[in-house]
Amino acid sequence: MKKYSHLLPNDKYLNQMLTSMGISSVDELFTDIPHEARLKGKLNVSGPMGQMEIERKFRDALSTDKVHPSSPCFLGGGIWPHYIPAAVNHIISRSEFYTSYTSYQPEISQGVLQALFEYQSLICELGNMDAANASMYDWPTAAAEAVRMAMRITKKRRVVVSAASGFERRKVIETYIEPAGGKVVELPFNAETGETELHEAEMALAEQDVAAIYIEQPNFFGVIESRVREFSELAKRKGALFIVGVEPTSLGILEAPGNYGADIMVGEGQPLGISMSYGGPSLGIFAAKGDLNFIRQMPGRIIGLTSEKDGKGKGYVMVLQTREQHIRREKATSNICTNQALMAIAAASYIALLGKEGFIRLAKTIVANSHYVSKRIEETGRYISPFFTSEFYSDFAFARKGEGPRGHELFEKLASKGVHAALPLGWFYNELKEVNMISVTEAHNMRDVELLTKALLEV
Amino acid sequence: MFRQAKWDEGLLVEIGKEGRIGYVPPEPLGPDVQLRIPEHLVRKELNLPSLTEAQVVRHFVRLSQMNYAVDLGIYPLGSCTMKFNPKLNDRIANDERVTNAHPYQHHSTVQGLLSLLYELQTNLAEITGMDEVSLLPAAGAHGELVGVLMIRKYLQSRGQHEKNEILIPDSAHGTNPASAAMADFDVITVPSDERGMVSFEDLKKLVGKKTAGMMMTVPNTLGLFEEDILKISKLIHENGGLMYYDGANMNAILGRVRPGDIGFDIVHMNLHKTFSTPHGGGGPGSGPVGVKAFLREYMPVPILEKKGESYSWRHDLPHTIGRIKEGYGNVGVLIRALSYLLTLGPEGLVDVSSQSVVASNYLLRKLEKQHYQLNHGQNYPRKHEFVVSAKPLTKNGVNALRVAKALLDEGLHPPTIYFPLIVDEAMMVEPTESEPVEELDRYAEAMNSIARRSAEELASSPKNTSVKTLDEAKASHPLTLRLTWRSQKK
């Protein structure tokens, strides 16, 4: 018996099936493939292997890898180490959720549909927005699609993007808008405070062709932008949309973007109960304010509430599908169809588990922990921490005083000591070659902090 | 008889009550901190429901019981390939050393993970007949976008700005034209002929100086292998265009045909389909892209390289289309795909294409021809999927939708319906290689028996599902649109 027979149930019955069709061999079903098109010989690929062997192979390969929490991780920048409550994985491991497909037949797929409706609702509560889609791939692609949506709505081409936004977000925005004739204008940040420069935005918006301003709150450096309202008002005055990117746990303590004028809110949903998984699968958050015409321009799938045809019971279905590629083809709002639905269900169950009180406590713990670690780093006497003067959430920059490793060298030295920390900001900013970044969440305990500070003193 | 669970499950916001909590976050390590930010940026209101862990778990478990899935039964959605997902893959992908790795951590600390990704990359290049593979794209459509962006960048770097048309068959997946449009190409639709394949005569008239490339799915969405594929790729190449392969239907040709050998320059694969990873109700997926060597420099960054025995990411490709997402692809899905691939090996992959193709032709022949007719290419064998038309049933007042809803009552997931658009009353069936023959018999019997019933009998379906037929028009109507709890309250 072949090693993979358990996957292919008709191995033994193939001949019977063929006979019943009046066919002599499987190859007869492939005779339509021109001879020159066929692969001669055998694929040079690995396998076949039995289950036990495969498990051993993966375990052996991974055995030397050093990951959180045995090697503490203080890296962020778009994916952060967070604790995942046990119930979240239990819920998304229900195979009725995780082995289902897109709900094309709503009557038999109410589970996923209602769960995604819950997700949309929770995201709108967090951001005070009117509509959310049922997920994007990640924060960068959500930001990029938000900018494209703004270009469609305003029929303008320039987008003003804060340089204090995540590197990957800025780069993916560039990739996505270039074919549409879009152009990114970067807003510098203040070298002292770490906040985006408002007066530069005024200059950039003197041009009439601006579709959107994109600001992150908190920004890539973890710095809380204190002038988001002014950015929002400026955008409105110039007929541009205001897009805000968020790390969602911060919304337990920071004002909802919808309350300071965000037209579109995007963000990374990974902190909401999704493992880091080396950067994927994560969850792109996408929500919008506004009327139906605005919502019609949104990319991605949206779930809505309806009733049974006889008007009695309620139920959920995919809505506004006439925006989507399977109906509109080249006129669709986006090409996205497969999204990150299961991750959205994880996020919905995570937010539900924490609830109002848990969510606020989580944000407060993160604030307290990040300030505590910053202070501990400062107390080593070797570092300026935090590096930027404005208030921060979770992430903060710090810099070496006097002699000693810094930037990429510091990052490498810490990694060799089994601590993942001190993201070198020189990777993303020429002017910050000497500066590193630490990310702290609720997932860090005192042991992690001791290991970090000890390592920082030893290098 | 099949009966789906039916819970009168309220919304979280209806179940929640003040003062409860389902998970208590850790105490802070240091003292409470008052933020030094303007008062107007501090949150005053947070309208989240409060529930216990038991309430949350019960809520979602009840919802899950009202959901169909591959683990519950056959899911023959044509062009979506829903095969069984071997459980080994999940166990391996849930290894803490995969799930807890941070994308920015030093590459020397994740060499094991990178070696596995590299092994997958190398194997996928071999399977598709390509020289390089990027594992970055998060879904098939994302891979398509990457592919057409590479075509654009390649042509532009050669100064061929006049080339702005992408040819796409009328039977193609809707994502193809949507992706091409996102990359600023004009979409030219190529009609199918009576065989159901690209009409070569029409194609010749449409190809020219402006041709940037052609996107094709082989076998196509009718389940037919494009007989003229070698002629087509030659014609496109002669006109300076590139050939793009949509890998959604690759299941059918695994180990038998490699896109790279039949003239394709770029390929995307849907790992969650062909390489069996659970689709999670709509994602995550994974859409790696393979290219021929001349396109290597146009690939998205970063690319995974092996130098000696060490693996690392390279960021400085001179002509790269740029970045396309965060991190390095949907790693959880990639790990599952490698596990599946290792299970099968070279002969196993060929057996997958054999069994999926046999299953589809077997099921097709079991359907009663007076009810379900084949519109195209009667003399051609189908590949892993086929499309029949339920048109003959319309004279009895029955259509594809009614058949689908009646199948739900049998506990069987219906085929894809009303796609591709070129077939009236289309029903697109893809049984995949993971269904035993008894299940195929049962499916055919159910479809035939439904076709023999009267319109009146079928009108009441579905009645065994957790809800009856839903009002989809009302759900999308501006006056009755309800997208959140908030709008529900209005």
Side-chain angles (χ1 to χ4, degrees):
Chain A
M1 186 154 283
K2 296 167 190 164
K3 282 184 169 153
Y4 50 81
S5 294
H6 62 294
L7 301 183
L8 304 175
N10 295 324
D11 230 8
K12 203 175 162 205
Y13 308 97
L14 221 48
N15 281 331
Q16 276 166 254
M17 293 168 78
L18 292 169
T19 311
S20 79
M21 288 189 266
I23 289 176
S24 59
S25 81
V26 174
D27 289 338
E28 242 181 83
L29 293 170
F30 290 90
T31 46
D32 53 326
I33 301 179
H35 198 259
E36 320 84 82
R38 295 184 206 177
L39 174 67
K40 319 288 182 298
K42 213 168 82 170
L43 287 173
N44 178 25
V45 297
S46 329
M49 293 166 73
Q51 292 209 5
M52 196 171 80
E53 283 177 273
I54 293 177
E55 228 174 327
R56 279 292 287 274
K57 177 191 160 84
F58 278 79
R59 197 175 298 156
D60 289 350
L62 294 167
S63 64
T64 54
D65 286 7
K66 294 188 167 36
V67 302
H68 185 82
S70 55
S71 296
C73 175
F74 290 90
L75 299 172
I79 299 289
W80 293 265
H82 283 278
Y83 182 75
I84 301 173
V88 173
N89 283 344
H90 177 81
I91 288 164
I92 62 167
S93 299
R94 287 292 298 193
S95 64
E96 299 93 326
F97 282 144
Y98 88 79
T99 75
S100 66
Y101 194 70
T102 304
S103 308
Y104 289 131
Q105 295 291 340
E107 294 86 2
I108 205 166
S109 305
Q110 285 299 294
V112 161
L113 288 163
Q114 184 174 339
L116 293 175
F117 182 83
E118 302 272 22
Y119 163 78
Q120 291 173 183
S121 301
L122 288 161
I123 292 298
C124 287
E125 292 300 334
L126 282 181
N128 190 22
M129 304 303 282
D130 296 320
N133 72 16
S135 78
M136 306 293 285
Y137 308 133
D138 58 12
W139 185 354
T141 55
E145 295 255 22
V147 167
R148 281 193 73 128
M149 173 169 154
M151 289 169 64
R152 286 195 296 277
I153 289 173
T154 62
K155 304 200 165 49
K156 297 174 183 176
R157 283 173 310 167
R158 288 152 60 95
V159 289
V160 174
V161 174
S162 165
S165 320
F167 176 76
E168 294 181 348
R169 276 89 81 181
R170 284 182 283 135
K171 289 296 160 191
V172 176
I173 289 173
E174 277 174 21
T175 305
Y176 268 62
I177 69 172
E178 190 268 341
K183 199 176 169 321
V184 169
V185 182
E186 276 204 354
L187 282 185
F189 55 87
N190 185 294
E192 204 180 303
T193 64
E195 288 192 48
T196 311
E197 295 280 20
L198 181 65
H199 69 271
E200 298 272 351
E202 273 161 15
M203 279 156 60
L205 276 119
E207 301 260 352
Q208 291 306 305
D209 200 25
V210 177
I213 301 184
Y214 175 72
I215 302 279
E216 292 180 355
Q217 175 74 311
N219 68 26
F220 182 69
F221 309 121
V223 164
I224 297 168
E225 298 276 2
S226 59
R227 310 185 74 173
V228 277
R229 265 178 212 279
E230 282 101 319
F231 283 110
S232 167
E233 281 155 16
L234 183 62
K236 301 262 164 346
R237 263 201 320 277
K238 295 289 179 180
L241 299 193
F242 185 45
I243 306 171
V244 176
V246 297
E247 186 284 277
T249 69
S250 71
L251 296 175
I253 203 160
L254 295 181
E255 184 56 293
N259 288 354
Y260 52 79
D263 298 294
I264 304 175
M265 176 181 86
V266 295
E268 179 53 62
Q270 178 271 332
L272 305 174
I274 298 162
S275 60
M276 298 193 281
S277 293
Y278 204 49
S282 55
L283 168 66
I285 293 171
F286 194 112
K289 269 278 188 216
D291 61 12
L292 182 62
N293 287 331
F294 210 84
I295 294 164
R296 278 204 179 107
Q297 287 298 329
M298 268 175 49
R301 289 195 178 116
I302 309 174
I303 312 305
L305 174 69
T306 188
S307 55
E308 290 172 336
K309 271 249 165 87
D310 60 16
K312 288 179 192 148
K314 63 177 185 174
Y316 303 87
V317 296
M318 294 196 279
V319 297
L320 304 175
Q321 290 185 64
T322 46
R323 306 163 300 120
E324 294 187 59
Q325 24 66 37
H326 64 279
I327 293 174
R328 291 269 283 170
R329 293 173 75 90
E330 67 266 29
K331 294 188 180 67
T333 54
S334 163
N335 71 340
I336 188 171
C337 46
T338 288
N339 49 25
Q340 305 282 123
L342 191 69
M343 304 297 110
I345 297 175
S349 53
Y350 181 87
I351 303 170
L353 282 165
L354 272 75
K356 179 183 167 181
E357 196 194 330
F359 214 80
I360 293 169
R361 288 175 72 140
L362 173 76
K364 284 187 170 167
T365 295
I366 292 173
V367 168
N369 286 3
S370 54
H371 283 75
Y372 173 73
V373 174
S374 171
K375 193 155 164 284
R376 288 285 303 269
I377 293 176
E378 205 233 335
E379 280 166 4
T380 62
R382 292 197 183 185
Y383 303 90
I384 302 162
S385 179
F387 179 77
F388 294 117
T389 55
S390 282
E391 186 57 279
F392 63 90
Y393 178 87
S394 189
D395 300 5
F396 59 90
F398 70 108
R400 181 103 188 183
K401 288 190 210 162
E403 294 298 299
R406 60 198 71 217
H408 187 76
E409 197 192 347
L410 177 62
F411 169 74
E412 277 200 324
K413 290 231 149 117
L414 292 173
S416 69
K417 290 184 172 293
V419 177
H420 306 303
L423 187 70
L425 292 178
W427 285 357
F428 318 115
Y429 302 94
N430 274 329
E431 67 272 34
L432 298 177
K433 277 208 163 59
E434 313 265 297
V435 186
N436 293 74
M437 193 163 87
I438 290 280
S439 304
V440 188
T441 70
E442 86 293 352
H444 296 103
N445 64 9
M446 210 47 104
R447 172 190 163 267
D448 298 334
V449 178
E450 298 306 334
L451 286 171
L452 171 71
T453 45
K454 185 164 167 274
L456 281 170
L457 273 169
E458 283 170 3
V459 294
Chain B
M1 191 182 65
F2 167 75
R3 272 205 194 285
Q4 191 176 30
K6 179 183 175 73
W7 293 95
D8 187 15
E9 188 61 21
L11 292 159
L12 287 165
V13 72
E14 294 161 350
I15 306 167
K17 262 192 179 162
E18 195 77 13
R20 289 183 180 141
I21 193 162
Y23 163 73
V24 182
E27 292 296 315
L29 298 170
D32 258 358
V33 178
Q34 281 300 107
L35 291 183
R36 296 173 292 119
I37 53 167
E39 186 54 24
H40 67 82
L41 287 178
V42 177
R43 185 126 201 176
K44 316 241 166 16
E45 238 189 319
L46 184 62
N47 295 316
L48 296 180
S50 300
L51 304 96
T52 64
E53 179 180 333
Q55 285 181 303
V56 174
V57 168
R58 284 176 185 160
H59 175 71
F60 283 101
V61 170
R62 283 173 177 171
L63 292 187
S64 77
Q65 292 184 332
M66 296 192 279
N67 210 70
Y68 195 81
V70 173
D71 277 3
L72 285 167
I74 186 169
Y75 216 134
L77 274 176
S79 245
C80 297
T81 310
M82 285 301 287
K83 60 167 86 166
F84 178 72
N85 316 122
K87 300 306 164 198
L88 172 70
N89 307 347
D90 299 327
R91 189 150 79 190
I92 286 172
N94 283 324
D95 189 306
E96 203 173 68
R97 285 159 300 188
V98 175
T99 57
N100 283 4
H102 189 282
Y104 284 147
Q105 74 179 72
H106 198 277
H107 63 86
S108 67
T109 62
V110 282
Q111 286 294 300
L113 178 59
L114 295 185
S115 74
L116 295 168
L117 297 180
Y118 192 81
E119 184 173 353
L120 175 65
Q121 190 171 301
T122 313
N123 281 320
L124 294 178
E126 166 71 7
I127 290 166
T128 53
M130 292 285 153
D131 298 308
E132 300 287 343
V133 167
S134 165
L135 301 176
L136 303 183
H142 200 208
E144 286 178 26
L145 178 63
V146 166
V148 289
L149 287 175
M150 282 192 276
I151 296 178
R152 175 182 152 89
K153 189 95 188 203
Y154 172 76
L155 294 172
Q156 283 187 348
S157 72
R158 293 157 55 98
Q160 294 172 301
H161 298 277
E162 76 285 2
K163 292 194 162 293
N164 64 347
E165 291 180 353
I166 293 270
L167 298 151
I168 301 177
D170 56 4
S171 64
H173 300 117
T175 48
N176 289 182
S179 301
M182 275 181 88
D184 195 36
F185 286 111
D186 292 337
V187 173
I188 310 292
T189 304
V190 187
S192 302
D193 60 20
E194 66 292 340
R195 296 172 305 170
M197 300 180 197
V198 165
S199 161
F200 192 68
E201 288 314 303
D202 289 306
L203 179 65
K204 275 196 289 193
K205 287 177 220 147
L206 295 170
V207 177
K209 277 203 192 80
K210 290 181 161 182
T211 301
M214 177 152 183
M215 298 178 87
M216 283 184 77
T217 310
V218 186
N220 65 26
T221 58
L222 296 171
L224 295 160
F225 191 90
E226 294 281 351
E227 202 172 24
D228 299 326
I229 186 62
L230 296 169
K231 267 160 68 184
I232 293 171
S233 40
K234 188 159 173 265
L235 176 69
I236 300 295
H237 284 151
E238 278 168 0
N239 283 276
L242 273 65
M243 288 293 286
Y244 181 92
Y245 181 88
D246 176 330
N249 293 351
M250 228 174 73
N251 216 31
I253 57 160
L254 275 180
R256 294 175 179 274
V257 178
R258 304 195 308 169
D261 298 341
I262 55 174
F264 287 96
D265 305 296
I266 308 175
V267 161
H268 90 258
M269 291 148 268
N270 296 65
L271 293 188
H272 50 287
K273 298 179 175 183
T274 310
F275 294 90
S276 105
T277 59
H279 202 249
S286 175
V289 168
V291 296
K292 286 290 178 65
F294 72 97
L295 289 169
R296 184 176 200 262
E297 296 197 339
Y298 299 87
M299 293 172 80
V301 282
I303 59 170
L304 180 58
E305 286 191 328
K306 183 181 185 185
K307 283 189 188 143
E309 285 309 303
S310 166
Y311 302 89
S312 57
W313 295 98
R314 184 176 162 201
H315 296 267
D316 61 343
L317 285 184
H319 294 296
T320 177
I321 57 163
R323 286 205 173 236
I324 54 146
K325 82 177 290 295
E326 76 194 351
Y328 307 101
N330 280 344
V331 173
V333 182
L334 299 171
I335 290 295
R336 285 173 169 87
L338 178 61
S339 163
Y340 181 75
L341 182 66
L342 291 171
T343 306
L344 290 164
E347 280 96 6
L349 292 175
V350 178
D351 285 351
V352 164
S353 56
S354 301
Q355 294 213 23
S356 64
V357 168
V358 170
S360 123
N361 285 279
Y362 180 83
L363 182 51
L364 170 62
R365 280 171 212 224
K366 289 228 150 188
L367 294 184
E368 286 165 3
K369 301 217 166 29
Q370 70 273 28
H371 304 311
Y372 302 104
Q373 70 188 22
L374 206 52
N375 288 2
H376 296 95
Q378 269 80 2
N379 305 324
Y380 291 88
R382 260 52 193 176
K383 288 294 161 287
H384 64 307
E385 66 188 10
F386 61 86
V387 179
V388 288
S389 167
K391 187 86 196 219
L393 296 172
T394 54
K395 62 178 184 295
N396 307 328
V398 174
N399 57 15
L401 182 70
R402 298 294 357 131
V403 175
K405 298 300 179 197
L407 279 166
L408 294 178
D409 276 340
E410 308 281 330
L412 299 169
H413 200 283
T416 298
I417 53 175
Y418 300 106
F419 182 84
L421 309 174
I422 56 172
V423 175
D424 259 3
E425 296 295 331
M427 303 195 81
M428 187 182 192
V429 192
E430 180 178 1
T432 81
E433 69 278 5
S434 47
E435 295 308 325
V437 60
E438 309 86 86
E439 197 63 15
L440 302 176
D441 289 340
R442 190 163 87 90
Y443 203 81
E445 214 173 288
M447 277 186 77
N448 289 333
S449 127
I450 289 164
R452 286 183 230 114
R453 288 181 223 161
S454 69
E456 293 71 41
E457 280 177 273
L458 296 177
S460 60
S461 279
K463 47 191 177 299
N464 300 336
T465 46
S466 41
V467 295
K468 287 183 276 181
T469 306
L470 292 167
D471 194 339
E472 302 197 42
K474 178 182 164 191
S476 287
H477 193 279
L479 293 176
T480 42
L481 192 68
R482 300 282 182 269
L483 308 180
T484 58
W485 304 332
R486 309 166 149 221
S487 56
Q488 186 209 10
K489 277 185 246 160
K490 275 182 198 166

